[in-house]
Amino acid sequence: MSIQHSQINLSRRSLFKFGAGAIGTGVLTAGLSSNLLAAEIAPAEDEITPDKALQELLDGNERFAQRKRRNPHQTYSRLAEIAKGQKPFASILSCADSRVPSEIVFDQGLGDLFVCRVAGNIATREEIGSLEFGSLVLGSKVIMVVGHERCGAVDAAIKGAEVPGQIGSLLEAIKPSVESSKGKSGDKLENACKANVLAQIKKLNSSPVLSELIKAEKLKIVGAYYDLDTGKITIVG
């Protein structure tokens, strides 16, 4: 991820305009270099609203599910266009599952999406920090947390699987969602997957950086569930 004056165009005034009470906690000043504080936000970053960004994701997925992909922004000219700067309109927190590649299922291309992928689509400190950067600095207007059908990580958490190495840390993060979904009618795994999506949204909403962007109507955070059989995204919440 390249950070340059011409790409980021972020000023100290822009960083703190969301309110000293919530963001003036050292999160921004400690995490962003003096280079980021030197310039102004480019007007182009504000041209798309959170609602329009969300609709663009949903429209792209509809094209994918209907086998009508346009494959936008996937040319070598697009590669050259964004080589020195990025302005993704949306961020995705999704599972690392190889069957859920964001750019494909949302029919997007180079420079369109800021994607964080981790098994179980959990919002770790590192994932939250990445999404804060994608929204505050790069100008992403929507964060979509995407769970999916038959998620192996959630299934393992349900079964209380004995796992080696650091895999257990993923399951521990998912277990509260498994507990909260118990007793609900319907498919147990699907219920837990959707509960996990909502739990990660709650974590993201607790971020001072993201919550202030939401209050300023510069960001929307939504949950979604991906059907592996149809390729269709449905909103969760």
Side-chain angles (χ1 to χ4, degrees):
M1 180 163 49
S2 175
I3 303 174
Q4 302 180 19
H5 287 270
S6 58
Q7 171 203 342
I8 303 299
N9 293 326
L10 186 64
S11 71
R12 182 180 297 273
R13 181 181 61 194
S14 298
L15 283 174
F16 291 101
K17 69 182 178 179
F18 302 109
I23 300 187
T25 60
V27 175
L28 299 177
T29 54
L32 300 176
S33 71
S34 59
N35 285 341
L36 295 181
L37 302 174
E40 295 290 329
I41 288 180
E45 292 183 356
D46 291 323
E47 289 178 358
I48 184 169
T49 66
D51 286 336
K52 288 182 179 179
L54 175 58
Q55 192 60 52
E56 177 62 28
L57 286 178
L58 296 177
D59 289 346
N61 176 251
E62 182 67 20
R63 295 193 299 269
F64 172 74
Q66 296 297 323
R67 296 173 175 80
K68 296 179 180 179
R69 282 193 298 161
R70 298 175 185 169
N71 302 311
H73 294 161
Q74 296 180 24
T75 62
Y76 284 105
S77 60
R78 174 65 171 178
L79 182 70
E81 177 187 346
I82 64 168
K84 295 184 179 181
Q86 59 172 320
K87 294 179 183 177
F89 73 88
S91 296
I92 309 292
L93 173 58
S94 71
C95 185
D97 193 297
S98 62
R99 299 166 293 180
V100 195
S102 297
E103 283 81 3
I104 294 177
V105 303
F106 289 107
D107 193 26
Q108 302 300 325
L110 297 167
D112 292 330
L113 304 180
F114 189 76
V115 182
C116 294
R117 298 182 68 178
V118 59
N121 46 273
I122 56 175
T124 66
R125 291 178 61 190
E126 292 78 12
E127 304 289 345
I128 294 172
S130 296
L131 294 168
E132 288 173 342
F133 183 87
S135 300
L136 180 64
V137 180
L138 300 181
S140 173
K141 300 301 182 184
V142 63
I143 296 174
M144 181 178 282
V145 180
V146 182
H148 67 91
E149 184 182 26
R150 297 190 290 272
C151 179
V154 177
D155 190 38
I158 291 174
K159 294 174 178 176
E162 294 289 335
V163 293
Q166 297 299 311
I167 302 173
S169 65
L170 300 169
L171 307 191
E172 286 299 319
I174 297 169
K175 282 182 180 179
S177 299
V178 173
E179 291 299 317
S180 69
S181 65
K182 283 183 176 179
K184 293 185 177 180
S185 60
D187 183 81
K188 180 166 60 175
L189 178 53
E190 180 176 338
N191 289 341
C193 287
K194 291 180 177 178
N196 185 49
V197 167
L198 296 177
Q200 307 317 313
I201 290 176
K202 184 176 181 179
K203 289 182 182 179
L204 293 174
N205 281 327
S206 70
S207 158
V209 175
L210 299 179
S211 63
E212 286 299 313
L213 287 169
I214 293 170
K215 289 178 184 177
E217 298 184 345
K218 293 181 176 295
L219 178 69
K220 182 184 289 286
I221 301 178
V222 299
Y225 183 75
Y226 178 73
D227 189 310
L228 292 174
D229 299 307
T230 66
K232 182 69 175 175
I233 283 280
T234 54
I235 295 298
V236 173

